[in-house]
Amino acid sequence: MRRTTALAAAFLLMLLLTAVSLRFGAVAVPWRHIGETLLGRPNPSSFVVDKVRLPRIATAVLAGFGLAVSGVILQSLLRNPLASPDVVGVSKGAGFAAAAVLFLYPRAPAFALPAAAFAGAFAAFALLLTLSRRLRLGPAALALVGVAVGAVFQAGTQYLIVRHPTDINLALLWLTGSLWGRSWSHVLLLLPWIAALLPLAWSGFAKLNLLQLTDEVAVSLGLRIVRERLWLILLAVALAGIAVAAVGAIGFVGLVAPHMARRIVGSRHQWLIPLAALLGADLMLLGDVLGRVLIVPREVPVGIMSAVIGAPYFVYLLRKAKDAGARGRTGN
Amino acid sequence: MRWGVKKALAIALVCLWSVALAACGAAGNSNSGAGPAASSSSPSASAPSPSAASPQASAESASGPITMEDAVGTVTLQKVPERIVAMDFSFTDALATLDVQPVGIADDDDPGLFMDAVKSKLTNYQSVGSRYEPNIERISALQPDLIIVDINKHKNALEQLKGIAPLLILDDYEADYDQMIKNYRIIAKAVGKEAEGEKRLAEHQAIIDEAKAKLGGAKLTVLPAVVNPTGFFAHSEHSFSGSFLAMMGFDDPVKNETSYPQLSLEQLVETNPQALFLLPTDQKTIVDQWESNPLWKQIDAAANGKVFTVERRDWSLSRGLLGSEKMAADLVSALGA
């Protein structure tokens, strides 16, 4: 019951944030114009609502879904609360590929950037696969190999930044993660992937429930552990890769949204995955709308805002976990 | 199993919601494409079909449509644009020399970044925010009839911006002096002032020639550099100010293949410029530390008192005719006989 309530609340919050995002921004848009635009009637605000805010909202929601679910899968597989697309090197690989395009081929067409980012995410994954003996390593070692892979790509990105110190603005914006200029073509890029991968990820909940136990238990319960792990990580990489391709290397959402969800509904993935997805979308929407109204006419990139909102919560979580641990000991 | 069904329903609901959102947009798309939606009153820049000419445009096009080539293709404007948004200081510089008032400028929301000669010509404009991520909502609210954008910085938003107004897409990112002159001609034509533009270019040439005469063909190696608290960024001959100095007859001491190589003090001593123009971004810069280093005095420029401080907004931001003329004036006052 509580879980259903949590899901409904997160969903309603998403609708509420969508409405707020449609209403507020650099330009005042009355509710009446929003309604008319949604009904397809021409009105003075239809451009801002239909061509700027709606695609931004849809991109934020879909990317939030992708990042959060990717984070859930990785945290459970690696049995590591710090795991996220960032930590296993996926976002770092995407970031390096995107920075390479921005710096070395500044005249590349606009679609080259998401394509390169997506390819970079999978390149990082391929490297992880090779270095971890096709994932036969234990979860902790796997996470560390991911960190190492990420560090190599991070170093590459930083080398590019140091080599081209004066035109780093575009690259820094991309590496932070931004929803500026995202249009319906970005939504169409994300939608088929997310629509296909999200149900697939959710249908793996039973395996994820087992895999977050120890390897021995999972094997004894009949799971072909290496193969399942490979398949699920591939899913996580694809989800994060496509999200990062569309909005840039946003790190924090994939780390924090799964934690929030785990706090509320526990570790059963049939509940965890949908709630984390909704919370990821909520975080993206909240970060974007705040970033758009804070310092008009400039914008604060959503990657910064989502970290600013997410970081205090993360600290709160850590403190709370410590308290619970202390209480548990005294209880004994 | 009961849970499974419930969750499947929840997932389906979420997917449905996203699809509905996208469908809304798609519906809106087809609407504005087919019908006379309020926002698309001007024909798109890339595909100006004869049938798209609205009655309003044909009534006002006494002077006929304007056609020019920008960095990506042919742009046709049905009438002289009156509400122009400029997405960088270089475009604003060009418009200021043509006595055209932009309604919106991407000025990083800091009017202090305009050089004085440009700021004094601007009367009433709205900031549209960052030059890298200008505020699209505010641009659309200004209802412009021309937006001047950069082919590189703004490429991710071209699709959206095209829905607001015709675009003039220029190759401005890292443009050198010659490229700036080419862009100037395109802008002059776009605002219906081709003749005024040529006249202004002739005046510009006269000012530059006069400055060259005053400099008396001094054969020096001259280095402009942006300096901030952490680094020294030389402007090589590929950069705007570097290419301007080359045009003025000075030599680039760096000979680097990139536009803005970062130099250490040792590297700077090795390139040994005979005159140094510093463009500080802050009160305190790295040069304050370098000056106390004995190496600093080994640079010809430092030894001969030819280290000058000039304004970054003049030399590096306002990349246009006014900026160049200010650079020429600074050069004459520093190095002229």
Side-chain angles (χ1 to χ4, degrees):
Chain A
M1 199 56 221
R2 176 161 171 246
R3 292 162 173 163
T4 323
T5 319
L7 272 182
F11 184 71
L12 286 177
L13 182 60
M14 184 168 77
L15 293 185
L16 181 72
L17 287 170
T18 301
V20 168
S21 300
L22 282 174
R23 175 72 176 76
F24 296 100
V27 175
V29 175
W31 289 115
R32 194 167 48 81
H33 288 172
I34 296 170
E36 283 174 354
T37 309
L38 293 178
L39 295 172
R41 292 197 211 120
N43 67 79
S45 305
S46 64
F47 177 85
V48 168
V49 173
D50 177 45
K51 295 283 158 51
V52 181
R53 293 189 188 169
L54 269 177
R56 263 183 104 126
I57 291 165
T59 308
V61 167
L62 292 171
F65 283 176
L67 291 168
V69 173
S70 178
V72 169
I73 297 176
L74 292 171
Q75 285 179 6
S76 296
L77 280 186
L78 302 180
R79 289 175 215 134
N80 188 331
L82 278 173
S84 74
D86 231 5
V87 171
V88 298
V90 173
S91 320
K92 300 277 198 308
F96 173 71
V101 167
L102 283 169
F103 285 126
L104 307 179
Y105 306 97
R107 277 151 212 287
F111 66 81
L113 198 56
F118 194 59
F122 273 91
F125 176 60
L127 201 57
L128 178 67
L129 214 54
T130 329
L131 294 179
S132 64
R133 300 193 198 137
R134 312 173 90 204
L135 305 181
R136 271 169 224 283
L137 293 180
L142 203 57
L144 286 173
V145 173
V147 169
V149 168
V152 170
F153 282 108
Q154 175 88 336
T157 308
Q158 274 163 355
Y159 172 75
L160 286 171
I161 287 177
V162 171
R163 279 285 285 141
H164 307 259
T166 44
D167 35 50
I168 58 176
N169 290 0
L170 283 173
L172 285 183
L173 277 171
W174 195 91
L175 290 171
T176 317
S178 166
L179 286 165
W180 177 79
R182 300 304 188 266
S183 61
W184 287 112
S185 62
H186 291 92
V187 179
L188 290 180
L189 166 84
L190 273 168
L191 189 63
W193 286 90
I194 301 291
L197 296 178
L198 224 50
L200 220 54
W202 184 77
S203 66
F205 70 81
K207 289 167 197 156
L208 280 167
N209 286 345
L210 294 182
L211 279 167
Q212 65 184 342
L213 308 171
T214 66
D215 279 2
E216 290 76 17
V217 174
V219 173
S220 68
L221 289 171
L223 224 50
R224 287 148 87 178
I225 215 165
V226 172
R227 194 165 139 196
E228 296 298 348
R229 197 188 275 155
L230 172 66
W231 165 235
L232 285 164
I233 290 194
L234 191 64
L235 210 55
V237 170
L239 277 166
I242 196 67
V244 167
V247 300
I250 294 179
F252 225 61
V253 173
L255 179 67
V256 171
H259 276 288
M260 292 183 180
R262 222 177 272 269
R263 277 272 150 196
I264 298 167
V265 296
S267 319
R268 294 197 186 195
H269 287 78
Q270 57 268 49
W271 300 93
L272 183 55
I273 289 175
L275 186 63
L278 288 170
L279 290 176
D282 290 343
L283 200 54
M284 291 284 289
L285 284 173
L286 188 60
D288 184 47
V289 74
L290 286 179
R292 282 190 295 127
V293 299
L294 228 51
I295 50 166
V296 173
R298 307 199 65 163
E299 288 176 7
V300 185
V302 63
I304 295 179
M305 283 318 294
S306 59
V308 166
I309 304 164
Y313 178 78
F314 200 55
V315 174
Y316 163 77
L317 268 189
L318 292 179
R319 291 178 59 99
K320 209 172 161 190
K322 202 179 157 205
D323 287 352
R327 243 183 287 124
R329 273 197 297 279
T330 49
N332 271 340
Chain B
M1 206 54 231
R2 205 157 41 86
W3 284 356
V5 174
K6 251 194 214 164
K7 283 302 88 28
L9 277 175
I11 288 274
L13 203 65
V14 169
C15 288
L16 204 70
W17 179 83
S18 344
V19 172
L21 246 188
C24 280
N29 274 341
S30 55
N31 259 348
S32 55
S39 59
S40 54
S41 60
S42 43
S44 133
S46 59
S49 63
S51 63
S54 61
Q56 174 205 0
S58 55
E60 285 177 45
S61 62
S63 56
I66 306 172
T67 309
M68 74 235 98
E69 294 289 320
D70 70 1
V72 294
T74 308
V75 181
T76 306
L77 302 173
Q78 294 305 324
K79 62 184 183 74
V80 173
E82 283 157 4
R83 300 182 62 80
I84 301 170
V85 171
M87 302 270 253
D88 207 329
F89 294 117
S90 45
F91 307 141
T92 314
D93 184 308
L95 293 174
T97 63
L98 296 163
D99 283 320
V100 175
Q101 287 291 335
V103 291
I105 303 173
D107 61 354
D108 290 350
D109 203 24
D110 180 2
L113 295 175
F114 289 112
M115 59 182 288
D116 293 335
V118 173
K119 195 162 35 175
S120 64
K121 298 231 174 167
L122 298 172
T123 51
N124 190 17
Y125 76 94
Q126 245 198 326
S127 169
V128 296
S130 158
R131 289 176 293 145
Y132 289 88
E133 297 196 332
N135 196 305
I136 295 170
E137 294 184 8
R138 191 168 267 194
I139 294 171
S140 85
L142 289 169
Q143 299 191 310
D145 47 16
L146 182 70
I147 309 175
I148 309 178
V149 305
D150 175 58
I151 189 173
N152 186 18
K153 275 198 301 238
H154 308 122
K155 64 183 163 196
N156 286 327
L158 292 184
E159 186 188 324
Q160 274 186 340
L161 293 170
K162 263 181 201 160
I164 301 176
L167 304 183
L168 190 63
I169 304 172
L170 296 179
D171 190 354
D172 175 66
Y173 196 69
E174 293 196 0
D176 60 8
Y177 179 75
D178 292 340
Q179 180 66 37
M180 181 276 287
I181 299 287
K182 281 183 201 148
N183 288 346
Y184 183 80
R185 289 206 161 94
I186 300 174
I187 293 174
K189 197 166 180 194
V191 299
K193 296 201 168 185
E194 202 175 2
E196 287 93 327
E198 289 305 323
K199 188 161 155 274
R200 185 65 182 77
L201 276 175
E203 284 170 32
H204 173 71
Q205 196 55 50
I207 294 172
I208 297 300
D209 288 342
E210 196 191 331
K212 273 186 185 165
K214 281 188 186 155
L215 289 166
K219 261 294 181 196
L220 293 174
T221 55
V222 177
L223 186 66
V226 166
V227 286
N228 67 23
T230 57
F232 180 101
F233 302 97
H235 284 204
S236 79
E237 59 192 346
H238 302 291
S239 71
F240 179 74
S241 55
S243 69
F244 178 77
L245 288 170
M247 194 272 298
M248 294 295 286
F250 295 109
D251 282 331
D252 168 21
V254 198
K255 297 273 177 270
N256 198 295
E257 81 270 20
T258 62
S259 298
Y260 309 105
Q262 182 174 6
L263 300 186
S264 65
L265 179 55
E266 287 80 3
Q267 287 169 313
L268 180 62
V269 169
E270 198 180 313
T271 60
N272 195 20
Q274 288 162 305
L276 199 51
F277 286 84
L278 302 176
L279 287 53
T281 60
D282 299 81
Q283 291 278 331
K284 289 246 166 236
T285 71
I286 196 164
V287 171
D288 296 328
Q289 303 164 32
W290 286 3
E291 276 170 345
S292 57
N293 190 314
L295 274 178
W296 178 257
K297 282 284 164 207
Q298 291 184 21
I299 305 169
D300 280 359
N304 301 326
K306 291 214 185 317
V307 179
F308 308 99
T309 300
V310 289
E311 296 253 15
R312 188 170 74 104
R313 59 196 174 127
D314 299 338
W315 279 57
S316 181
L317 295 180
S318 201
R319 295 167 289 115
L321 298 188
L322 292 170
S324 307
E325 286 160 13
K326 182 72 167 77
M327 274 197 269
D330 284 345
L331 284 169
V332 168
S333 74
L335 303 173

